[in-house]
Amino acid sequence: MNKTVSFLGPDGFGSYEIDPTRSSLSRVDGPADTLVVPGFVDIHTHGAFGIDFMSAETAQIATLCEKLREVGYEGFLPTTVTASAADVKRAVSVLPDHPMILGFHLEGPFISTCFPGAQPQSSIVDPPIDISDWDAILSDPRLKLITMAPERPGALDLIRRLRALGVRISMGHTDATYLQADQGFQAGADHTTHTFNAMRPLHHREAGTVGYALCNDEIYSELIYDRQHVCREAAEVFFRCKPADRVVAVSDSTMAAGMAAGQTVKMWGLECVVGDRQVRLKDGTLAGSAITLLDAFRNLHADFGPETAIRACCLNPRRSISYNAPPTLSIEFDKNLEIVELVELA
């Protein structure tokens, strides 16, 4: 029996009729039975379901993989926070050899004290110029992405060094002016981290890092679309400025994702309060998010349509870190965007 599904197919997004007897599909008019998308790829997540990457053991990370698979994840980059080299080494040393773990994302410590967000300020340092305790981490072949501030002393040299190793560099937690952001780009940075958040904002006399991210069509720009970090109207500006293939949805999730609201947790030495799909320091500062990429997908689908959601959550993230393997997972949704089936692909 033929089945009609919505997905981003060879003729663009729309309804396609699948003929299983011929292994063929054709574009058709009218509504589809279900929506089918590739698995999610999250390049910025600190943990979820009560598990924090910086303090977890190997078995807990393996459990996290299982739980993220249940909500549609194909792969992800466990992401550090600003900490000592010793603490980061410990965190990456316990990463299991698991097909969902595509490497790791080093967020900090080479960031701006002006825009730390919830990053522990006491551990922020300048990029290393000579031999340092960070060398083993920076040369680790699993390092796929680093968030840093391009205006810090020694940052441009480190950007060039890491690009030569194949690492992607993201400008974030930064006070970079438009010119300094361009210098970072010219040195090799081609991402911005959670765009709008923890970076020099757009101003009519100095466009800042945000202005640079919006103007440079080659930059991959992360967006946390939990409707807390970025409002719908700002996201509208973002989507109008950025090419469709350069928007990368991220969860920036913490251990609070999947936890009940009202709980108090300690993350990275900081007391945090879990809210409704959000987590904040006690002073009200957002401390990462409490969503998964499934939540971001649903929000984007509702506010900007299915094609935007598919590109941002499923396709662009893998391209942004040169993850070129064919999808290994597909997600089938019903009309309420509830997961009907997860299909492992050969």
Side-chain angles (χ1 to χ4, degrees):
M1 180 177 178
N2 293 0
K3 183 177 183 179
T4 303
V5 301
S6 290
F7 71 101
L8 190 54
D11 296 319
F13 181 82
S15 297
Y16 291 79
E17 185 178 70
I18 299 175
D19 184 345
T21 62
R22 297 182 178 180
S23 299
S24 65
L25 70 155
S26 56
R27 184 76 181 260
V28 296
D29 296 325
D33 301 316
T34 58
L35 169 67
V36 175
V37 308
F40 302 134
V41 174
D42 195 348
I43 67 170
H44 191 157
T45 169
H46 299 281
F49 306 106
I51 299 169
D52 174 51
F53 172 43
M54 291 298 293
S55 59
E57 299 298 335
T58 301
Q60 291 175 297
I61 299 293
T63 298
L64 179 61
C65 290
E66 294 174 7
K67 289 182 174 292
L68 291 176
R69 193 67 157 193
E70 292 172 2
V71 293
Y73 277 50
E74 177 179 331
F76 66 103
L77 295 181
T79 305
T80 65
V81 296
T82 294
S84 68
D87 286 345
V88 173
K89 286 177 184 175
R90 191 220 70 84
V92 300
S93 72
V94 303
L95 283 175
D97 183 12
H98 193 288
M100 287 183 63
I101 297 176
L102 308 179
F104 69 90
H105 177 171
L106 183 69
E107 187 176 17
F110 317 123
I111 59 175
S112 172
T113 55
C114 297
F115 291 97
Q119 302 281 325
Q121 296 191 48
S122 60
S123 295
I124 295 175
V125 296
D126 283 329
I129 298 174
D130 298 314
I131 296 172
S132 76
D133 292 340
W134 289 96
D135 288 350
I137 298 164
L138 297 175
S139 61
D140 190 320
R142 298 172 297 173
L143 176 61
K144 301 301 181 187
L145 181 65
I146 179 173
T147 291
M148 57 186 293
E151 75 278 10
R152 289 204 70 114
L156 298 182
D157 286 339
L158 181 58
I159 290 171
R160 295 185 189 100
R161 170 184 164 189
L162 292 174
R163 279 303 297 138
L165 295 174
V167 180
R168 311 304 283 261
I169 294 89
S170 189
M171 297 182 283
H173 291 280
T174 174
D175 193 31
T177 63
Y178 189 99
L179 176 59
Q180 289 170 323
D182 184 61
Q183 290 171 339
F185 173 74
Q186 297 301 331
D190 65 352
H191 285 231
T192 53
T193 297
H194 41 55
T195 311
F196 294 109
N197 302 115
M199 62 175 55
R200 181 184 278 255
L202 174 68
H203 189 276
H204 62 283
R205 293 193 181 94
E206 204 296 292
T209 317
V210 170
Y212 190 77
L214 296 178
C215 286
N216 188 325
D217 288 350
E218 296 182 52
I219 290 274
Y220 286 99
S221 291
E222 291 183 6
L223 182 72
I224 309 170
Y225 200 57
D226 56 1
R227 301 192 180 115
Q228 301 289 330
H229 281 79
V230 179
C231 70
R232 190 196 185 286
E233 293 78 11
E236 177 79 34
V237 173
F238 180 77
F239 283 112
R240 290 193 183 200
C241 290
K242 295 298 296 181
D245 64 350
R246 287 297 187 269
V247 174
V248 178
V250 297
S251 69
D252 196 12
S253 64
T254 64
M255 65 186 294
M259 296 178 67
Q263 298 184 65
T264 299
V265 295
K266 192 165 188 177
M267 300 189 306
W268 323 316
L270 304 170
E271 294 290 332
C272 302
V273 179
V274 181
D276 180 17
R277 298 190 181 180
Q278 60 180 288
V279 58
R280 296 178 182 267
L281 304 181
K282 288 195 170 180
D283 67 3
T285 302
L286 284 164
S289 87
I291 65 166
T292 66
L293 216 50
L294 173 60
D295 301 302
F297 178 85
R298 287 169 170 159
N299 291 343
L300 289 167
H301 186 287
D303 291 353
F304 300 102
E307 183 169 351
T308 293
I310 294 168
R311 291 188 184 279
C313 297
C314 310
L315 303 181
N316 297 344
R318 64 178 66 233
R319 293 174 183 146
S320 78
I321 58 169
S322 300
Y323 174 50
N324 298 318
T328 61
L329 181 75
S330 72
I331 314 167
E332 184 174 346
F333 290 98
D334 65 16
K335 294 179 180 179
N336 296 316
L337 288 187
E338 295 295 331
I339 294 177
V340 174
E341 185 178 13
L342 298 174
V343 179
E344 301 284 345
L345 305 175

